Amino acid sequence: MAKYDLVIIGSGPGGYVAAIRAGQYGLKTAVIEKDSYVGGTCLHIGCIPTKVLLHHAEIYDTFQRAAEFGFEVKDVKVNWPAILARKERIVNKHTKGIEFLFRKSKVETITGWGRVAGPGRVSVEKDGKKTEIETTYTMLATGSDARSLPGVEIDGKTILTNKEILELPAIPKSLVVVGAGAVGVEFASIFRTFGTEVTILEMLPRAVPLEDEEISAELMKAFKKRGIRIETEAKVESVKKDAKGATVVFKTKDGKSESLAAEKVLMAVGRRPMTETTGVDKTAAKLERGFVHTNAYMETAEPRLFAIGDIVAGLPQLAHAASMEGLIAVGLMAGKEVQPFDRMKCPNATYCEPQIGSIGMTEKQARDAGIKIKIGKFPFLGNSKATILGHHEGFIKVVAEEKYGEILGVHVIGPLATEIIAEAVTAISLEATLDDLAAMIHAHPTVWEAMGDAFNAVRGLSINA
Ligand SMILES: Cc1cc2nc3c(=O)[nH]c(=O)nc-3n(C[C@H](O)[C@H](O)[C@H](O)COP(=O)(O)OP(=O)(O)OC[C@H]3O[C@@H](n4cnc5c(N)ncnc54)[C@H](O)[C@@H]3O)c2cc1C
């Protein structure tokens, strides 16, 4: 029986990052992956392919605005198959990249269905054949899968998840997106830019409901301006295929029943953890609706069994969260000094147009926690680089503790939001105060310097607003 220091089940951004680090630390490591390729949801049907499509949509949008930038461009045509082909090339390049990094770190890949078979034992099943391997540590990194609503059947052609919508043969004329979380608003943005008539149905009172309330309001305003219809407090009652596509029946917030016809429907109502038939239920690990409970070092209640990524209860379903959780767990196994995973230090990035980047407490969370706070806001309208880019919509909002000025939360909606949030990540990770940030020199002209204005705005000292 093969024997390893660490066996990881799942090769997404949680599993593959943990595996490479384990190899760097000299742990004999194997990754079990059910698919014939490594990289998981993020690389194949999540973060990377969606961002490729979004980037192409942005280029198309720039062509549409050519006259504003002083160009005469006629007859811009979208070559959808060429866009999909480029997406495929990018995904393949990075899949090969992970394979290379595995070889470099001496990580073995085993193809098959992985299952915790008992303390220090993992089984792998492939083509009806089962083998067992021995391991000191086991890490579950099996990720998540798209959910649907009761009675709504995903057929993959008309009623879609994030997987099938990435392979559509043509851009649909109309699309209903059920769910206004990160996945829903990203696809809504992409297809609206390519000319699709988009309607979003959201059960809660606002889009991106995990974000600060003002960010949600700004996004809904921007979406409406772009011609995206958003119905909040909408209860979807049925989604049925028909000759022309599908019909979605929903109750509006006033209790009226409405029916919408669309060529395609995207179900973006959340993701369920892939922990069924992984054997975790036979261990001492605590489960809640399929999610695994861990401590902040990713240890489950079963000795030497760790869980990371989208399957962990109460932590964000984000690629970089999964990766950091994996690094913490492997550090602990290798006897290194590690810091616990802190949700408040993990940024959120939503790649709709306008983009959203945020970290830490929302204004409401801080007020509900009884903290005395001060708010600073800076609109991108006052930032010269944003004007040069032709994207000066949105703002930065800073939530700071009143007495010492500790930064508690930063919420950005607007150009390069997912990039410039990096400064707030450093600030919050290092527990910086407004004084620290006011003394920081920001290069000019950058979109990033709007951060300096936003931090100064808390004390009414923003220069450009
Ligand atoms: C459309 C979309 C866009 C997204 N965009 C972003 C983004 O921009 N930024 C961001 O941070 N996050 C994004 N996410 C979320 C991100 O993809 C996930 O948080 C991340 O992939 C989770 O990583 P993971 O390692 O936990 O699981 P996964 O990436 O889901 O990987 C799990 C792996 O485990 C394998 N597996 C499952 N069960 C078994 C088994 N029993 N045996 C063997 N192998 C198994 C699976 O095949 C898969 O390869 C997006 C998600 C979606 C759906």
Side-chain angles (χ1 to χ4, degrees), residues 11-138:
S11 71
Y16 86 73
V17 168
I20 292 166
R21 179 55 54 86
Q24 289 168 339
Y25 283 158
L27 301 180
K28 187 173 159 52
T29 305
V31 173
I32 303 172
E33 172 53 59
K34 69 174 173 54
D35 291 335
S36 55
Y37 44 81
V38 291
T41 303
C42 176
L43 180 51
H44 296 273
I45 50 170
C47 327
I48 303 302
T50 50
K51 263 82 269 175
V52 178
L53 295 188
L54 207 60
H55 182 60
H56 284 251
E58 280 163 18
I59 294 171
Y60 184 60
D61 182 57
T62 307
F63 278 125
Q64 300 301 307
R65 296 172 59 185
E68 188 186 328
F69 294 106
F71 295 97
E72 278 180 29
V73 180
K74 288 202 180 76
D75 296 334
V76 177
K77 289 201 179 73
V78 178
N79 183 342
W80 186 244
I83 292 175
L84 294 189
R86 181 162 186 269
K87 165 179 78 66
E88 232 22 62
R89 284 199 300 279
I90 291 169
V91 169
N92 287 339
K93 172 179 181 268
H94 287 277
T95 306
K96 288 202 172 69
I98 298 173
E99 289 165 2
F100 164 77
L101 294 169
F102 274 7
R103 283 194 299 277
K104 194 174 152 210
S105 311
K106 300 192 171 54
V107 172
E108 284 176 48
T109 313
I110 304 169
T111 308
W113 185 273
R115 194 179 308 219
V116 181
R121 282 184 301 120
V122 174
S123 71
V124 189
E125 204 172 331
K126 185 162 188 277
D127 304 329
K129 213 174 131 232
K130 213 176 193 176
T131 46
E132 258 195 26
I133 48 185
E134 242 183 273
T135 176
T136 307
Y137 294 106
T138 306

Side-chain angles (χ1 to χ4, degrees), residues 17-307:
V17 168
I20 292 166
R21 179 55 54 86
Q24 289 168 339
Y25 283 158
L27 301 180
K28 187 173 159 52
T29 305
V31 173
I32 303 172
E33 172 53 59
K34 69 174 173 54
D35 291 335
S36 55
Y37 44 81
V38 291
T41 303
C42 176
L43 180 51
H44 296 273
I45 50 170
C47 327
I48 303 302
T50 50
K51 263 82 269 175
V52 178
L53 295 188
L54 207 60
H55 182 60
H56 284 251
E58 280 163 18
I59 294 171
Y60 184 60
D61 182 57
T62 307
F63 278 125
Q64 300 301 307
R65 296 172 59 185
E68 188 186 328
F69 294 106
F71 295 97
E72 278 180 29
V73 180
K74 288 202 180 76
D75 296 334
V76 177
K77 289 201 179 73
V78 178
N79 183 342
W80 186 244
I83 292 175
L84 294 189
R86 181 162 186 269
K87 165 179 78 66
E88 232 22 62
R89 284 199 300 279
I90 291 169
V91 169
N92 287 339
K93 172 179 181 268
H94 287 277
T95 306
K96 288 202 172 69
I98 298 173
E99 289 165 2
F100 164 77
L101 294 169
F102 274 7
R103 283 194 299 277
K104 194 174 152 210
S105 311
K106 300 192 171 54
V107 172
E108 284 176 48
T109 313
I110 304 169
T111 308
W113 185 273
R115 194 179 308 219
V116 181
R121 282 184 301 120
V122 174
S123 71
V124 189
E125 204 172 331
K126 185 162 188 277
D127 304 329
K129 213 174 131 232
K130 213 176 193 176
T131 46
E132 258 195 26
I133 48 185
E134 242 183 273
T135 176
T136 307
Y137 294 106
T138 306
M139 184 184 284
L140 262 188
T142 45
S144 62
D145 204 2
R147 282 185 203 278
S148 187
L149 293 177
V152 179
E153 202 187 311
I154 308 287
D155 74 328
K157 298 244 178 313
T158 304
I159 305 171
L160 317 164
T161 69
N162 61 290
K163 189 173 170 194
E164 300 85 21
I165 197 167
L166 289 167
E167 298 300 333
L168 288 180
I171 295 167
K173 293 215 163 27
S174 54
L175 173 72
V176 169
V177 178
V178 182
V183 172
V185 297
E186 284 188 23
F187 280 110
S189 256
I190 293 168
F191 284 100
R192 180 63 200 140
T193 308
F194 283 126
T196 303
E197 191 186 300
V198 178
T199 305
I200 306 178
L201 302 177
E202 167 58 50
M203 194 180 72
L204 295 172
R206 58 194 178 102
V208 285
L210 300 179
E211 298 291 345
D212 188 274
E213 286 176 19
E214 284 192 78
I215 297 284
S216 292
E218 184 75 7
L219 181 70
M220 299 210 301
K221 197 173 87 190
F223 268 15
K224 277 178 195 155
K225 208 166 137 198
R226 293 183 57 199
I228 296 174
R229 178 180 169 199
I230 303 192
E231 289 291 329
T232 51
E233 293 175 69
K235 192 172 178 297
V236 171
E237 294 183 326
S238 70
V239 182
K240 293 261 161 19
K241 270 180 75 165
D242 54 35
K244 287 190 183 150
T247 300
V248 182
V249 178
F250 70 101
K251 272 238 160 69
T252 65
K253 61 167 85 118
D254 315 318
K256 287 191 200 114
S257 193
E258 201 179 309
S259 155
L260 273 177
E263 191 181 324
K264 306 283 177 196
V265 177
L266 171 69
M267 298 304 292
V269 291
R271 302 190 53 84
R272 67 177 182 89
M274 296 263 291
T275 47
E276 289 150 30
T277 53
T278 58
V280 64
D281 54 325
K282 309 266 183 341
T283 70
K286 301 242 168 341
L287 292 171
E288 187 185 331
R289 293 178 300 112
F291 288 97
V292 186
H293 277 278
T294 67
N295 62 15
Y297 297 91
M298 316 323 297
E299 293 171 293
T300 70
E302 173 76 22
R304 290 184 297 282
L305 176 66
F306 291 73

